[in-house]
Amino acid sequence: MNLAIRDIRFHRGRFILTSIGLGLLLGVVMSMGGIYRGLFADALAVLHSTKADLWVVQKDTNGPFAESSRIPEDIKYRIKSVPGVAEASPLSFQTIQIERQGKPFRFFLIGYDLRGIGGPPAILAGRNIRQKHYEMVVAKAMKMALGEKIRLGLHEYTVVGITGKVVSSSGDPAAYVSLADAQEIQFKKDNDAIRNNRERVAADLDRMQNLTQAQAQLLQRNVSDLTESTHTVNTVVARLAPGASLYEVQQRIERWNHYRAISDEGQTKILTKGMIEKARMQLGLFRIILLVISAVIISLIIYTSTLDKIRVIATLKLIGSQNRVIIGMILQQSLLMGVIAYAVGYALISLTYEKFPRRIVLEAFDLQVLFAIVVVICTVSSFVGIRKALKVEPAEALGG
Amino acid sequence: MYAIEVDNVTKIYGKGDTAVTAISHASFQVRPGELVAILGPSGSGKTTLLTAIGLINEPTHGRIIVDGVTVADDGWVPGLDLKRIRREKLGFIFQAHNLIPFLTALENVMVALEINKFPSGEAKGRAEQLLKSLNLGHRLGSYPMALSGGEAQRVAIARALANKPRVILADEPTAALDTENGKNVMALLKSLAVENHSAILVVTHDHRMVEGFDRIFEVRDGFIIRETRGAG
């Protein structure tokens, strides 16, 4: 006869409620783990969807995600010509916040060369961008419908396709437009600003007495062209030809082109170690605190449940029960509580994780480790109850 | 052979100035099938004597022999498995029945058998039989809280009898019962002593409950002051 099961059967209401309470706590622990994994997944989403071997960015920066990086678009031709590079494409990134349906609407805009790499990884609905202008593909998380239009900068853009879960390192869903459109949205000044700029340049040149009128006009045109140019990108990504040495290509770009070439591995390190390290530590600390709280709660529950059973334990000892029967009863109850609480927590998270505002990634390994931790916690927590039970004297069963 | 032999047993609690003598030089024997009462007021040392015989409370001096096994000789005899002896040779009945609240009447009896390594099926059959013999056949699946005081005490008696012990020790078994139920329980114990050929030692403060006992030891301040042979 299993005394633990009999006791639970008799006090099932109390046991179920306790297990549910504990399950909610373990659900939070699981979600913390999921958020932690989600941070990684989010941080690396653009990196993984681009599938580049090299990220060429402004010299002495950790761009384009961790730091700002601006390089001329035409660098792509020089990168393409480096021996060992098979493909090179410019990319532009910017976070945009506009108002949509009366609410703030924030997303991560990626501009890409329609014939190059770095575009949407998969089209779930609609189609990819075909026209050079005013079309966009949005992530599903943006909850936009095909055909919907939004105004960005000076123009309206139509949603022509829906892609999967691509987000920025801060968790904002991604939208794709052509590189030219992205550059215009990011760098193109409005007409008033352009006019003011031209007048300011002209006024500055007028003050230069040693310039002829023709020279000043020529200079003004050139300065305006330079300041109004939108042909700037944040990075040029490259894929290597089979067999090419990543290190050699990196060295060549850095030595001759004066840009920084970050490998995919290096970029991963920048994103994970640099950008989300503190969040990771904070979540890890939270998980530890919650596990300690769970351990304390389980210990208290088992201890008070043992106190409730002092007379039962004394009676069992008096009628000759072995200690292992009593230890087994307490340990099994503790473990059963932990297992049920784990199942409740798992069910809770499995049903709700897609509704969280940030990505929750539940990995089998994390869940298995947590299960093992819960088993260890339950075993250790039951020791306080077992210690109390072993101290109970059979004589306590006597008397009124 | 006696079922219980108590020879010059003394129990002292504490040491030095704070030492209290709970039992002083108690000596008696109980034969198998005999129903014996230890009668005395509260604090007289009767429960201490019972717990010493029940291998719970180590006597300071003297010798105790249970079913031919010397268990105490100026303290517990080293190397003895007291739990096993308690399991196999002794049965206990308590003042407040002490049934396990989360087990049914049947399971409360079964647990004593399973602790003594009876296979579950065999334990169930034997427990059912015992409870039916005590007119509790209709209460097998009832939890203790649903039983009357008399029914609960009969379940406790069934549990004490489950392993066919040579000695049954009862601590105020009628204290929580009304007079009629108390007398019924005592009558039941007497019949069991005869039927099972077990020695039954009952501790009580209520002299009305010892009618029909074979012998009665009166205890005062730790001393057995009188032995009375009953009508039984």
Side-chain angles (χ1 to χ4, degrees):
Chain A
M1 184 191 317
N2 188 310
L3 292 175
I5 300 286
R6 295 295 196 283
D7 187 20
I8 290 167
R9 186 184 65 183
F10 188 73
H11 296 110
R12 58 181 164 276
R14 188 173 72 179
F15 186 82
I16 289 168
L17 277 178
T18 309
S19 299
I20 289 174
L22 208 57
L24 295 176
L25 201 61
L26 289 180
V28 177
V29 177
M30 282 178 205
S31 70
M32 290 280 176
I35 291 169
Y36 166 60
R37 292 286 178 191
L39 279 180
F40 265 88
D42 282 355
L44 304 176
V46 174
L47 215 61
H48 287 161
S49 69
T50 308
K51 295 190 181 83
D53 296 313
L54 274 176
W55 295 72
V56 180
V57 297
Q58 190 177 327
K59 200 176 179 191
D60 300 327
T61 71
N62 284 318
F65 305 109
E67 277 183 70
S68 140
S69 155
R70 283 187 179 191
I71 53 174
E73 184 188 339
D74 57 12
I75 289 300
K76 66 186 177 189
Y77 300 113
R78 284 158 68 182
I79 303 298
K80 258 183 205 169
S81 66
V82 172
V85 172
E87 265 182 290
S89 280
L91 287 177
S92 128
F93 304 105
Q94 62 179 312
T95 300
I96 289 181
Q97 184 167 323
I98 56 169
E99 194 146 301
R100 179 172 167 250
Q101 294 163 358
K103 288 178 185 169
F105 186 57
R106 195 177 157 88
F107 59 94
F108 187 60
L109 191 71
I110 301 172
Y112 72 104
D113 185 338
L114 300 185
R115 286 162 303 178
I117 52 180
I123 299 295
L124 303 179
R127 59 171 174 80
N128 215 329
I129 296 169
R130 283 193 204 132
Q131 291 181 28
K132 209 171 175 187
H133 291 293
Y134 316 129
E135 286 189 348
M136 70 193 298
V137 168
V138 298
K140 201 179 163 189
M142 284 174 73
K143 292 177 184 154
M144 290 182 78
L146 289 174
E148 197 177 330
K149 291 179 193 301
I150 54 168
R151 189 168 187 87
L152 299 174
L154 303 173
H155 305 284
E156 276 202 330
Y157 291 80
T158 307
V159 175
V160 295
I162 308 288
T163 187
K165 212 162 192 176
V166 183
V167 291
S168 71
S169 56
S170 51
D172 299 316
Y176 291 84
V177 291
S178 69
L179 181 67
D181 282 349
Q183 287 169 325
E184 194 181 300
I185 293 164
Q186 193 171 4
F187 303 116
K188 182 93 175 176
K189 295 181 178 83
D190 61 47
N191 293 337
D192 288 339
I194 293 170
R195 235 185 334 266
N196 286 342
N197 192 47
R198 282 180 188 165
E199 280 171 17
R200 197 177 66 246
V201 172
D204 283 348
L205 294 174
D206 280 348
R207 279 196 291 273
M208 295 181 181
Q209 302 296 327
N210 50 349
L211 288 179
T212 64
Q213 196 180 5
Q215 281 174 321
Q217 278 171 358
L218 187 65
L219 204 54
Q220 186 199 356
R221 212 165 35 246
N222 282 330
V223 171
S224 295
D225 279 352
L226 276 173
T227 55
E228 287 161 27
S229 168
T230 60
H231 294 287
T232 304
V233 293
N234 301 110
T235 183
V236 171
V237 288
R239 284 186 191 151
L240 300 189
S245 159
L246 175 71
Y247 179 75
E248 278 174 23
V249 173
Q250 248 179 313
Q251 290 300 307
R252 202 177 178 101
I253 290 171
E254 291 190 354
R255 193 181 319 127
W256 297 110
N257 295 308
H258 307 292
Y259 292 102
R260 186 170 177 204
I262 306 171
S263 68
D264 190 52
E265 193 187 333
Q267 197 64 266
T268 302
K269 202 179 273 182
I270 289 169
L271 282 165
T272 55
K273 293 284 176 198
M275 291 179 71
I276 59 172
E277 182 64 9
K278 279 206 173 120
R280 185 186 74 84
M281 284 166 72
Q282 187 136 335
L283 285 170
L285 196 65
F286 251 122
R287 289 174 87 190
I288 292 169
I289 291 169
L290 287 172
L291 283 172
V292 170
I293 292 170
S294 306
V296 171
I297 290 175
I298 295 171
S299 298
L300 277 173
I301 291 166
I302 294 298
Y303 186 70
T304 49
S305 143
T306 308
L307 288 183
D308 286 347
K309 286 199 281 285
I310 290 292
R311 209 172 172 89
V312 169
I313 292 165
T315 305
L316 286 169
K317 285 188 171 185
L318 193 61
I319 63 178
S321 170
Q322 298 91 335
N323 280 341
R324 64 180 163 80
V325 173
I326 293 156
I327 293 170
M329 177 173 70
I330 296 169
L331 187 60
Q332 284 167 23
Q333 279 188 354
S334 182
L335 287 172
L336 210 59
M337 188 184 293
V339 169
I340 292 174
Y342 181 88
V344 169
Y346 180 72
L348 179 79
I349 289 304
S350 299
L351 292 172
T352 59
Y353 79 101
E354 286 199 328
K355 294 180 175 61
F356 275 63
R358 282 207 70 154
R359 193 196 312 232
I360 304 277
V361 178
L362 297 174
E363 288 205 357
F365 176 74
D366 291 351
L367 294 172
Q368 284 159 8
V369 169
L370 181 63
F371 183 77
I373 291 171
V374 169
V375 168
V376 170
I377 284 176
C378 289
T379 308
V380 173
S381 300
S382 67
F383 288 169
V384 282
I386 288 170
R387 192 162 165 265
K388 178 75 187 165
L390 292 180
K391 282 185 176 173
V392 172
E393 291 293 333
E396 288 182 50
L398 302 172
Chain B
M1 187 172 69
Y2 292 109
I4 306 168
E5 289 180 67
V6 176
D7 180 18
N8 206 24
V9 166
T10 296
K11 173 68 189 181
I12 302 167
Y13 289 110
K15 282 179 181 170
D17 294 343
T18 56
V20 175
T21 305
I23 316 166
S24 234
H25 307 289
S27 295
F28 61 89
Q29 295 85 31
V30 184
R31 289 189 187 84
E34 224 183 348
L35 180 63
V36 173
I38 298 174
L39 186 67
S42 181
S44 59
K46 56 188 190 303
T47 299
T48 302
L49 188 56
L50 184 93
T51 52
I53 298 165
L55 316 184
I56 299 164
N57 204 346
E58 188 175 15
T60 315
H61 301 295
R63 193 155 52 145
I64 297 173
I65 302 169
V66 176
D67 194 27
V69 179
T70 304
V71 291
D73 194 355
D74 289 343
W76 299 131
V77 172
L80 281 182
D81 184 351
L82 297 179
K83 269 188 188 172
R84 193 174 63 80
I85 296 171
R86 221 163 39 219
R87 204 160 55 223
E88 290 173 359
K89 295 187 185 293
L90 302 175
F92 289 90
I93 300 167
F94 310 95
Q95 182 177 332
H97 65 70
N98 277 21
L99 294 178
I100 296 171
F102 52 83
L103 299 182
T104 62
L106 180 69
E107 290 166 343
N108 261 290
V109 181
M110 280 172 67
V111 77
L113 289 160
E114 288 188 8
I115 282 170
N116 212 8
K117 299 195 171 60
F118 270 82
S120 188
E122 202 179 318
K124 190 178 178 191
R126 191 155 159 181
E128 260 183 35
Q129 198 184 355
L130 256 171
L131 287 167
K132 282 177 185 167
S133 73
L134 295 173
N135 294 326
L136 287 165
H138 62 299
R139 290 301 217 171
L140 298 179
S142 301
Y143 284 99
M145 65 180 182
L147 300 173
S148 69
E151 285 174 332
Q153 200 57 298
R154 276 187 283 153
V155 175
I157 291 169
R159 182 177 64 187
L161 292 172
N163 288 307
K164 294 184 179 163
R166 299 288 290 153
V167 176
I168 292 176
L169 302 172
D171 180 34
E172 301 273 12
T174 59
L177 303 176
D178 57 53
T179 310
E180 194 185 331
N181 267 317
K183 284 188 173 171
N184 290 340
V185 165
M186 287 302 192
L188 179 62
L189 289 176
K190 178 158 178 58
S191 67
L192 290 172
V194 175
E195 277 171 33
N196 297 346
H197 206 57
S198 303
I200 302 186
L201 186 65
V202 178
V203 157
T204 181
H205 67 280
D206 191 348
H207 59 86
R208 292 170 303 169
M209 292 296 165
V210 296
E211 272 177 39
F213 274 55
D214 297 314
R215 279 187 297 156
I216 300 148
F217 294 101
E218 279 185 60
V219 183
R220 286 277 150 80
D221 301 326
F223 291 91
I224 295 176
I225 57 164
R226 190 178 302 139
E227 180 186 346
T228 314
R229 288 198 176 268

